[in-house]
Amino acid sequence: GGVGGGGGGSQYAHRLAQATSYLKPHIRQIASALRFAVEAHDGQVRRSGEPFVTHPIEVALILASLRMDAATVIAGLLHDTVEDCEHVTIHDLRTRFGNEVARIVEGETKVSKLHTTGNKKFDQRMNTRSMLLAMAEDWRIIVVKLADRLHNMRTLGAMPVEKQRRIAAETLDVFVPLARTLGIQALEDELRQLSLRTFAHVVDVQLAQPIGQGRTQLERLLEDDYVLRTRRVGPRLLQHRVAWDAHSLAWLSSRNMLPAF
């Protein structure tokens, strides 16, 4: 059903095949992951009314535009399956798609809504801490999370206004500085632009206040949170930046976009 059948499905399969043409040896596994995602999310619908699976597919397309490896693109396609589909487990993904994919998806699942005490500020802080701990393990977990947030920001209009503001504020406070820390400028710029556009529609002094002033929530947590400091998450994120820079250089040189030395 949904995206899997008919015109929409073949259109997405074609777009994904084109976007991942740089991953030729893995094309069959990517197609298999697409089918898996379509079946797993069958019947699920986004708030916009679109089949839910359009979201993980768009996330995978963003990851492909960053020339991420096959494990990351496949993890993008599957990143919501364990959390949102009762019948899918991490073990299923490990068996079918291998350890790397399972580890990235597990990292994504860990960083989804964990704390719901009713105290929104506390919950968000704890969720962000959990997210940063998972991300410290593998830089690709961060890139999938940023791509996930970017597609959610692109489609934010379907949400109630109050939720739009909350998500935009969190994006400016956590995800924009995270993209900046990693050095992924394309994601940083678009996330900031979409967040500020959300605020442009609302006059909200309280939420607009922190923008560009003082430390971001990300900086406060990395510098002040005992658990994150003990686990050296800040320095590990900076090491991830080295990994991203190496990835970008390899990608640019493969396209002959680097000056000859």
Side-chain angles (χ1 to χ4, degrees), residues 66-83:
L66 297 169
R67 291 297 185 272
M68 295 302 291
D69 63 11
T72 311
V73 173
I74 290 169
L77 283 168
L78 305 174
H79 77 274
D80 278 325
T81 54
V82 175
E83 190 187 0

Side-chain angles (χ1 to χ4, degrees), residues 156-168:
L156 202 57
M159 294 285 179
V161 172
E162 195 48 51
K163 197 166 185 185
Q164 287 186 39
R165 292 177 195 169
R166 196 163 44 81
I167 292 171

Side-chain angles (χ1 to χ4, degrees), residues 15-238:
R15 273 181 69 196
L16 194 62
Q18 275 191 317
T20 55
S21 58
Y22 69 97
L23 292 169
K24 275 214 169 63
H26 308 279
I27 287 300
R28 285 176 70 168
Q29 204 184 13
I30 291 167
S32 168
L34 173 61
R35 284 194 300 275
F36 187 95
V38 167
E39 285 167 25
H41 292 295
D42 190 35
Q44 296 176 1
V45 179
R46 297 197 90 204
R47 194 181 281 269
S48 62
E50 289 181 297
F52 183 85
V53 77
T54 56
H55 167 66
I57 294 170
E58 290 289 355
V59 169
L61 288 167
I62 292 168
L63 294 167
S65 75
L66 297 169
R67 291 297 185 272
M68 295 302 291
D69 63 11
T72 311
V73 173
I74 290 169
L77 283 168
L78 305 174
H79 77 274
D80 278 325
T81 54
V82 175
E83 190 187 0
D84 293 348
C85 312
E86 284 174 20
H87 55 286
V88 179
T89 66
I90 285 291
H91 178 71
D92 296 334
L93 299 189
R94 190 173 288 115
T95 306
R96 182 127 174 218
F97 299 102
N99 265 329
E100 272 191 294
V101 169
R103 197 173 69 239
I104 297 169
V105 173
E106 193 170 22
E108 288 307 305
T109 307
K110 275 182 193 164
V111 303
S112 294
K113 292 290 168 271
L114 297 165
H115 294 270
T116 45
T117 60
N119 177 337
K120 276 194 177 146
K121 252 189 168 157
F122 175 80
D123 288 345
Q124 199 210 355
R125 184 192 162 106
M126 291 299 100
N127 287 332
T128 307
R129 175 206 267 177
S130 303
M131 177 177 85
L132 292 168
L133 285 169
M135 286 173 172
E137 300 304 317
D138 188 328
W139 68 280
R140 295 171 299 177
I141 294 171
I142 308 180
V143 185
V144 176
K145 194 69 195 170
L146 289 170
D148 175 41
R149 176 54 62 117
L150 178 56
H151 184 248
N152 282 330
M153 288 301 297
R154 285 176 178 173
T155 54
L156 202 57
M159 294 285 179
V161 172
E162 195 48 51
K163 197 166 185 185
Q164 287 186 39
R165 292 177 195 169
R166 196 163 44 81
I167 292 171
E170 184 191 39
T171 301
L172 284 169
D173 221 13
V174 176
F175 292 95
V176 169
L178 195 56
R180 183 164 60 246
T181 302
L182 219 66
I184 311 180
Q185 197 172 351
L187 296 190
E188 180 195 345
D189 291 347
E190 193 179 348
L191 284 167
R192 182 189 294 105
Q193 210 174 5
L194 291 169
S195 302
L196 292 174
R197 190 183 302 162
T198 304
F199 282 115
H201 296 311
V202 295
V203 181
D204 189 326
V205 179
Q206 192 192 351
L207 272 178
Q209 191 75 33
I211 297 172
Q213 288 184 18
R215 294 187 300 168
T216 62
Q217 189 194 358
L218 180 75
E219 290 163 333
R220 287 196 304 275
L221 271 171
L222 289 176
E223 290 164 15
D224 305 342
D225 186 277
Y226 176 75
V227 174
L228 297 181
R229 278 184 21 229
T230 310
R231 300 278 287 276
R232 300 189 71 254
V233 170
R236 286 162 84 183
L237 289 182
L238 292 176

